Amino acid sequence: MEAPHSEPQQAPSDLDAVAEAHKSWLKSVLGLGALEAKLWVASSAQLLALMCGVVFLILTTWLLIIATGAAVAWSYGFSLVGILLTATLITFISAVVLLYLVKRTLEGMNFTRTLDAIIPTDED
């Protein structure tokens, strides 16, 4: 009569083994995901630092182009006030163009299209 008692005890241990195997598998998958996320964060930080350097160099180059133009204009006898006003105007127009490009890019970043593709609404 002890045999029927041992079979029900055997079933939970099999279930526990399957659950433990699934936990181990899930832990390894999540560990791989965490490792991938760490690599992405490190790469993103490095890319951000490089982009800051690029932006700094582009800004410096732009200012040197304006300064070179101002020096050439000064050597041809233009007034200093006129040169400074022209440089200010060029810088302002450049900022307006960049602002327009930022606005256009932000308008293009419509995340509702992705959301609608994943979860369609009744209106569609």
Side-chain angles (χ1 to χ4, degrees):
M1 297 245 169
E2 293 179 12
H5 292 293
S6 64
E7 285 183 26
Q9 292 174 355
Q10 195 65 275
S13 66
D14 289 342
L15 187 59
D16 289 342
V18 170
E20 191 62 37
H22 279 86
K23 283 181 188 177
S24 174
W25 173 80
L26 184 62
K27 185 177 180 180
S28 65
V29 168
L30 290 176
L32 182 61
L35 181 62
E36 190 74 21
K38 286 179 185 178
L39 290 172
W40 272 95
V41 167
S43 296
S44 297
Q46 184 178 10
L47 183 63
L48 181 63
L50 290 172
M51 286 305 297
C52 287
V54 168
V55 167
F56 177 75
L57 290 174
I58 289 173
L59 179 65
T60 304
T61 303
W62 179 244
L63 292 175
L64 285 173
I65 288 171
I66 292 174
T68 302
V72 169
W74 176 262
S75 70
Y76 281 107
F78 286 93
S79 71
L80 184 60
V81 173
I83 292 171
L84 291 176
L85 286 176
T86 305
T88 303
L89 184 65
I90 289 172
T91 305
F92 180 73
I93 291 171
S94 301
V96 169
V97 169
L98 287 177
L99 184 60
Y100 168 74
L101 292 174
V102 167
K103 280 185 172 183
R104 194 176 75 174
T105 303
L106 286 176
E107 288 172 359
M109 294 174 62
N110 188 359
F111 294 112
T112 57
R113 287 182 286 180
T114 305
L115 185 60
D116 288 342
I118 296 171
I119 305 171
T121 59
D122 294 335
E123 298 168 1
D124 293 337

